């Protein structure tokens, strides 16, 4: 309902979320009335959004935030509401006239792959024609992948970020499956990411609250503390757009600290815009790096072991940055699970990192 989104905007403005960089309050599927109006335009459900989307956008904007909305490339949304097929220009104009700042464009009920692609291209051009700056969030490659390899160069030409993988759930198994898929496909997806176009690892569905792309499920109930640290660290490494799927009115102080951690957010939002990748996998450990501006690197050491206690992973610093990250020397700071300086190392040093089961140590080198 509009009340829920207004309350969430209030919390985002009052409790530091906006100031940390979270800008968008996004509505997902099911916001619409079951049918278009007499002029063919989409309309909001009159019971849950009685003031209309324009008024909600005005309210969100008054808090220094932006409003996101949902539609679908096909004839129906995934939940069966009116889709944008044959209405791309009209819907783009409608969203712009309401003051919408982001469109998540789903891919259900789209017919053939050619219709799917044509729909995503058409809506991109239609949004640009409105003259309003609207972030375009696509699900194009996710719906292509079962049948053909996505052309990420073309997708980036039309979309600002795009979904690659299945729904994320509030569970470790789900987080782990996303990381495994990303590592397996990194050769095809890492190189395309950069300013203006980003890989979304996943999609979240949490009925009643928010449903977003690239979902952080931190602050709910399914992840342990170490697993929450892993999601935050690895989404920063992957240069993923960060959307929270949680109820900010009832979030723990620990989850708030993690989600608002300035050092992690700075890594995620690094202006160089390069996506990180897995360097090596050794038994239960994974070593990832992400090139940052200023000749720095973010490094993540992930412990996949699910039982037992903390374990040490030792690696040579020559692994990092093709041997250049610490040549001739580098300073190392641990960012997660807690911030502390580790000092200066030379390029032939080895580093031993202690990591909890299903946890991650995030370093800045």
């Amino acid at each position: 309902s509009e009340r829920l989104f207004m309350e969430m905007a209030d919390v985002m403005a009052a409790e530091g979320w906006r100031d940390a960089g979270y800008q968008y309050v996004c509505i997902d599927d099911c916001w619409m009335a079951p049918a278009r109006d007499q002029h063919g335009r989409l309309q909001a459900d009159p019971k849950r959004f009685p003031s209309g989307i324009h008024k909600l956008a005005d309210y969100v904007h008054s808090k220094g935030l932006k409003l996101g909305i949902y539609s679908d490339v096909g004839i129906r949304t995934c939940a069966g509401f009116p889709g944008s097929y044959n209405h791309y220009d009209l819907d783009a104009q409608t969203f712009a006239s309401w003051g919408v700042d982001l469109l998540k464009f789903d891919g259900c009920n789209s017919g053939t792959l050619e219709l799917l692609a044509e729909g995503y291209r058409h809506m991109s051009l239609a949004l640009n024609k409105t003259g309003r700056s609207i972030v375009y969030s696509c699900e194009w490659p996710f719906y292509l992948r079962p049948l053909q390899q996505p052309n990420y160069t073309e997708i980036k030409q039309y979309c600002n970020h795009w979904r690659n993988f299945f729904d994320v759930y509030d569970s470790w198994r789900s987080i782990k499956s996303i990381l495994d898929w990303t590592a397996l496909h990194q050769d095809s997806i890492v190189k395309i990411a950069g300013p203006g176009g980003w890989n979304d690892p996943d999609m979240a569905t949490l009925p009643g609250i928010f449903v977003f792309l690239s979902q952080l499920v931190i602050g709910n109930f399914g992840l342990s503390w170490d697993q929450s640290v892993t999601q935050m660290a690895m989404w920063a490494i992957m240069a993923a757009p960060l959307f929270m799927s949680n109820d900010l009115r009832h979030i723990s102080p620990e989850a708030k600290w993690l989600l608002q951690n300035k050092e992690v957010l700075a890594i995620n939002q690094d202006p160089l815009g390069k996506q990180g990748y897995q360097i090596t996998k050794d038994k239960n450990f994974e070593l990832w790096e992400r090139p940052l501006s200023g000749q720095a690197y973010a490094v993540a050491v992930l412990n996949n072991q699910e039982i037992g206690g903390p374990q040490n992973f030792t690696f040579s610093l020559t692994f990092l940055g093709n041997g250049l990250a610490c040549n001739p020397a580098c300073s190392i700071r641990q960012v997660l699970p807690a911030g502390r300086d580790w000092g200066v190392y030379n390029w032939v040093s080895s580093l031993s990192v202690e990591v909890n089961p299903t946890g991650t140590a995030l370093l800045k080198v």
Side-chain angles (χ1 to χ4, degrees):
S1 68
E2 65 185 39
R3 175 170 298 195
L4 173 66
F5 289 98
M6 291 166 77
E7 288 178 6
M8 217 60 70
D10 291 343
V11 174
M12 285 181 72
E15 297 188 11
W17 300 101
R18 178 193 63 201
D19 297 335
Y22 295 95
Q23 299 179 59
Y24 294 86
V25 181
C26 296
I27 310 169
D28 210 84
D29 203 350
C30 309
W31 63 268
M32 305 166 189
R36 292 173 177 268
D37 70 11
Q38 67 266 34
H39 303 293
R41 291 181 299 226
L42 293 172
Q43 50 189 344
D45 182 291
K47 290 183 181 172
R48 289 181 294 114
F49 295 89
S51 306
I53 301 300
H54 198 311
K55 283 283 175 64
L56 179 57
D58 287 346
Y59 187 85
V60 169
H61 292 157
S62 77
K63 299 291 177 177
L65 298 163
K66 298 177 181 180
L67 185 71
I69 207 162
Y70 169 101
S71 189
D72 190 288
V73 71
I75 55 170
R76 294 260 162 210
T77 72
C78 297
F81 291 85
S84 288
Y85 179 70
N86 271 343
H87 296 87
Y88 300 125
D89 294 288
L90 178 60
D91 289 356
Q93 290 160 14
T94 301
F95 297 145
S97 72
W98 287 345
V100 165
D101 305 289
L102 179 151
L103 173 64
K104 176 183 150 188
F105 210 41
D106 216 335
C108 284
N109 306 305
S110 56
T112 66
L113 291 185
E114 186 44 53
L115 283 173
L116 179 86
E118 177 52 37
Y120 276 109
R121 288 190 289 258
H122 193 149
M123 182 55 90
S124 177
L125 299 173
L127 291 171
N128 282 342
K129 269 190 237 168
T130 69
R132 183 171 181 82
S133 179
I134 300 175
V135 173
Y136 188 35
S137 171
C138 301
E139 309 223 351
W140 192 351
F142 173 72
Y143 285 90
L144 276 181
R145 230 176 223 290
L147 299 164
Q148 69 179 56
Q149 173 69 24
N151 178 348
Y152 283 101
T153 303
E154 180 184 31
I155 290 168
K156 185 172 182 176
Q157 204 178 327
Y158 291 99
C159 304
N160 296 121
H161 51 97
W162 45 85
R163 172 190 181 184
N164 282 319
F165 195 57
F166 293 107
D167 290 4
V168 62
Y169 292 97
D170 188 18
S171 75
W172 172 243
R173 181 197 281 185
S174 175
I175 300 300
K176 186 68 179 66
S177 69
I178 291 163
L179 294 174
D180 289 344
W181 185 93
T182 302
L184 184 64
H185 295 88
Q186 64 183 19
D187 289 349
S188 64
I189 65 173
V190 165
K191 60 192 173 189
I192 199 65
W198 309 98
N199 287 298
D200 267 317
D202 56 85
M203 154 83 67
T205 52
L206 282 183
I209 306 295
F210 294 133
V211 192
F212 286 139
L213 290 167
S214 198
Q215 234 24 81
L216 296 169
V217 291
I218 297 160
N220 296 304
F221 300 96
L223 300 184
S224 70
W225 174 247
D226 287 301
Q227 292 161 2
S228 296
V229 167
T230 289
Q231 191 187 24
M232 194 69 186
M234 297 307 299
W235 266 235
I237 287 282
M238 293 188 292
L242 300 182
F243 289 87
M244 299 177 292
S245 188
N246 48 29
D247 190 338
L248 297 176
R249 299 166 301 181
H250 306 292
I251 196 167
S252 72
E254 296 81 12
K256 183 178 180 181
W257 174 85
L258 182 58
L259 288 161
Q260 291 190 6
N261 187 295
K262 289 181 179 177
E263 289 186 90
V264 185
L265 294 175
I267 290 171
N268 174 259
Q269 298 288 308
D270 185 78
L272 189 62
K274 287 189 176 292
Q275 181 169 334
Y277 40 84
Q278 187 187 94
I279 305 174
T280 187
K281 190 170 184 175
D282 181 16
K283 296 178 184 173
N284 291 318
F285 281 95
E286 297 178 28
L287 182 64
W288 294 61
E289 73 174 13
R290 177 183 174 185
L292 303 176
S293 52
Q295 295 181 302
Y297 286 82
V299 177
V301 182
L302 167 61
N303 180 2
N304 286 310
Q305 183 81 15
E306 296 187 20
I307 58 172
Q311 290 185 313
N312 280 292
F313 179 67
T314 302
F315 63 95
S316 169
L317 293 177
T318 57
F319 265 116
L320 305 180
N322 290 321
L324 299 176
C326 288
N327 188 359
C330 60
S331 64
I332 297 180
R333 177 171 170 79
Q334 179 182 295
V335 176
L336 289 176
R340 60 189 178 94
D341 288 319
W342 283 10
V344 176
Y345 292 76
N346 66 48
W347 78 289
V348 292
S349 300
S350 288
L351 198 66
S352 187
V353 185
E354 184 180 86
V355 192
N356 291 345
T358 67
T360 295
L362 180 64
L363 312 173
K364 186 173 179 183
V365 176

